[in-house]
Amino acid sequence: MPFTAEQLADDIRSQNHARSRRALAKAITLVESSRSADVEIAQHLLTAILPATGASQRIGITGIPGVGKSTFIEAFGVMLLRKGYKVAVLAIDPSSERTGGSILGDKTRMPELSRAENAFIRPSPAGKTLGGVARRTRETMLLCEAAGFDVVLVETVGVGQSETALSSMVDFFLVLMLSGTGDELQGMKRGIMELADAIAINKVEAENRMNAERAAQQLRNALHLGMPKYEDWSVPVQLCSAREQTGLEEVWAIMQEFLQNNAERTQHLRRTQAVRWMRETVQDGIAMLLQHSPALRELNTQLEAQVFAQTLSPSAAAMRLLKAMGVAEKM
Amino acid sequence: MPFTAEQLADDIRSQNHARSRRALAKAITLVESSRSADVEIAQHLLTAILPATGASQRIGITGIPGVGKSTFIEAFGVMLLRKGYKVAVLAIDPSSERTGGSILGDKTRMPELSRAENAFIRPSPAGKTLGGVARRTRETMLLCEAAGFDVVLVETVGVGQSETALSSMVDFFLVLMLSGTGDELQGMKRGIMELADAIAINKVEAENRMNAERAAQQLRNALHLGMPKYEDWSVPVQLCSAREQTGLEEVWAIMQEFLQNNAERTQHLRRTQAVRWMRETVQDGIAMLLQHSPALRELNTQLEAQVFAQTLSPSAAAMRLLKAMGVAEKM
């Protein structure tokens, strides 16, 4: 049946649980669509729900494969449900298209959460560009806030780029790590220390606690070497075990301290993030143009090949592309 | 007098030192100009000299103010001159416009280099966007290569962004640091460890050598925690004193080992860099369009203000901007 953005916006905010969920699912499908008609409606929808957004705590979670992200999110999310929060779990996974099905597609990853009335799990949108995937996840996050979710957990598989995209859409960025055999940390990704607001070393059980403590101390020293992300916040390193459900309350307490001690910081962060989203969406639009216009895509491919072969200068190639896009003559 | 890009390209490659220098200066002014007529010629010029580029060693140098960049580059450059190399010194300083005059404007910073026949020092181009400044520096680097310079040293003041831009245009990225009182390192910038191919701790004289050694060891441990930039290269930490001219030969030896042990790596790096330059130049072109078209600039300012005030959704704002740029309808 036909519907307007305004109707959909109302339904999303409805107190009727079933109606709200149906509308939310419909709205997400809409923002994930690339059909220009849908894009139109999606824009109106996002503007319509804008006043109802912003009330949730936006928390990003990343870590290398094997760190136990699913188990952590399941245990952490269930803990939040018990505290009375409504929890949405989203993902940014640019590879989801290749790997066929998102990292969150499989309900068995988070059995209890996926059955819970007050939890909502959404797989990563598919997309050719990270920018496009990130934009859809951001917009889904806004829709979830309009639908009344108090905490939005966004996970990423953590190829470097997607972590940066994730950190630019959340209030708090948690990095999960493992302490290896011996006391070295495993899989610390380049640049990751710069993004983290807190680091949780997962899978710390009795038998490896001492090694984990050493690893944590070593990590604190390394963090001390770097320039702080915020002047008034030094990044905590917390040990936990999602499996044994230890350290999770402490991780939550760290997040609450961060978010409540400096609300202006979060407010300012969100506003600057919003401006960055706009700029990224503009650039994503340019990328879409290069994808969707066969002529431009072909030209772009040719030019990049020549530049790679060093037979054409990068700026000359760029100028030709801008001309073909109809941008150059306006300059 | 009138001239063509081809004439200028020939003169730059001329064996006649005076002519080559005049042509180089003229060419740089051309690539730094934003007059559309100049931009046209500059594009032809860059394409004309392309075959004569790529023969130099491209070395990026950064470090916090006070680390002794000028003294280091002066001493390091003079050492290279003595080895018989022709040395060009460029800079990326997006703030040069604000601060009035570039970080390299003052000849007293590098007295011996600035007098030397086989050295060429060029201040940072001015520019509103880092992208624009970086592009002009890249193109100046190519012109210097065509003019027969063997080593191009590019320095940056090192606000995080400009260091990333610098690292994406050089073969080797050197980070200068200081060991403080006690054994901690001072002013390690966020993300800097991820960019460095080598770290030189400067101002290490007899009296602080032991602290510096401790700091270096601490730093090696921290580097060990991170993921390597290249599988086959672990980032060396070298002590030096530009003032006492110690450790400089060692730094040069490190660069030569890096560049000669794996020439394919550098070749591949340069090709992928070139493609990235093209993409950045396209985005810079979009930014230029927003700057130069009063109507678009005005619209962009309004939209960003509304997005910042959270009265307009980022994607709706982006869509309006793309429409106004004439890009959206092509999608």
Side-chain angles (χ1 to χ4, degrees), chain B residues 109-185:
Chain B
R109 283 181 66 232
M110 301 172 187
E112 196 167 345
L113 266 188
S114 53
R115 280 195 316 272
E117 165 100 341
N118 284 328
F120 176 77
I121 303 183
R122 180 76 182 189
S124 171
K128 287 191 184 54
T129 67
L130 171 59
V133 173
R135 179 180 56 77
R136 294 180 177 92
T137 302
R138 282 194 307 254
E139 293 170 357
T140 299
M141 179 173 73
L142 297 176
L143 293 168
C144 289
E145 289 182 339
F149 286 91
D150 315 296
V151 181
V152 181
L153 305 175
V154 190
E155 91 168 284
T156 186
V157 283
V159 289
Q161 287 295 352
S162 60
E163 281 158 339
T164 309
L166 175 55
S167 73
S168 79
M169 80 173 67
V170 293
D171 305 326
F172 189 96
F173 193 73
L174 176 69
V175 175
L176 296 176
M177 296 188 63
L178 292 175
S179 69
T181 58
D183 56 3
E184 78 283 355
L185 286 153

Side-chain angles (χ1 to χ4, degrees), chain A residues 181-203:
Chain A
T181 58
D183 57 3
E184 78 283 353
L185 286 153
Q186 295 186 340
M188 159 92 72
K189 237 179 267 71
R190 299 181 43 225
I192 198 65
M193 286 201 297
E194 282 64 43
L195 298 176
D197 295 312
I199 295 176
I201 302 182
N202 191 25
K203 299 187 179 178

Side-chain angles (χ1 to χ4, degrees), chain B residues 57-79:
Chain B
Q57 300 189 15
R58 304 167 177 176
I59 293 166
I61 300 176
T62 191
I64 56 169
V67 77
K69 269 197 302 298
S70 313
T71 318
F72 181 90
I73 291 172
E74 163 89 348
F76 196 71
V78 167
M79 178 188 77

Side-chain angles (χ1 to χ4, degrees), chain A residues 39-40 43 46-47 50-51 58 135 138-139 142 184-185 187-195 218-219 221-222 224-229 267-268 270-279 281-286 288-290 292-293 296 299-300 303-305 307-327 330-331, chain B residues 36 39-40 43 46-47 50 58 135 138-139 142 184-185 187-195 218-219 221-222 224-229 267-268 270-279 281-286 288-290 292-293 296 299-300 303-305 307-327 330-331:
Chain A
V39 171
E40 266 317 307
Q43 293 314 319
L46 289 165
T47 306
L50 200 60
R58 304 167 177 176
R135 178 180 58 74
R138 281 193 309 252
E139 293 170 356
L142 297 175
E184 78 283 353
L185 286 153
M188 159 92 72
K189 237 179 267 71
R190 299 181 43 225
I192 198 65
M193 286 201 297
E194 282 64 43
L195 298 176
Q218 201 183 20
L219 183 52
N221 298 339
H224 180 70
L225 269 181
M227 230 178 67
K229 185 173 172 184
Q267 192 50 260
H268 182 76
R270 287 186 173 191
R271 287 160 172 259
T272 47
Q273 282 176 341
V275 173
R276 199 181 310 131
W277 296 354
M278 171 188 167
R279 293 182 183 150
T281 309
V282 169
Q283 283 173 10
D284 192 46
I286 308 293
M288 267 172 67
L289 173 58
L290 293 181
H292 293 354
S293 150
L296 285 174
L299 176 63
N300 185 39
L303 291 172
E304 288 197 353
V307 168
F308 188 86
Q310 302 185 309
T311 58
L312 180 66
S313 89
S315 39
M319 208 50 65
R320 286 194 206 166
L321 198 57
L322 286 166
K323 282 212 177 86
M325 290 167 70
V327 169
K330 289 207 192 66
M331 301 201 292
Chain B
S36 48
V39 171
E40 258 329 296
Q43 294 313 319
L46 289 165
T47 307
L50 200 60
R58 304 167 177 176
R135 179 180 56 77
R138 282 194 307 254
E139 293 170 357
L142 297 176
E184 78 283 355
L185 286 153
M188 160 91 70
K189 238 181 266 70
R190 296 180 46 223
I192 198 63
M193 287 201 295
E194 282 65 43
L195 298 175
Q218 202 183 20
L219 182 53
N221 297 341
H224 179 69
L225 268 182
M227 231 179 66
K229 186 173 173 185
Q267 193 53 11
H268 183 75
R270 287 186 172 191
R271 287 162 171 257
T272 47
Q273 282 175 342
V275 173
R276 199 180 311 131
W277 297 354
M278 171 189 166
R279 292 180 182 151
T281 309
V282 169
Q283 284 172 11
D284 193 47
I286 308 294
M288 267 172 66
L289 172 58
L290 293 180
H292 293 352
S293 150
L296 285 174
L299 176 64
N300 185 39
L303 291 172
E304 288 196 355
V307 168
F308 188 86
Q310 302 185 307
T311 57
L312 179 66
S313 89
S315 38
M319 208 50 66
R320 286 195 205 166
L321 198 57
L322 286 166
K323 283 211 178 86
M325 290 166 71
V327 170
K330 289 206 193 66
M331 301 200 291

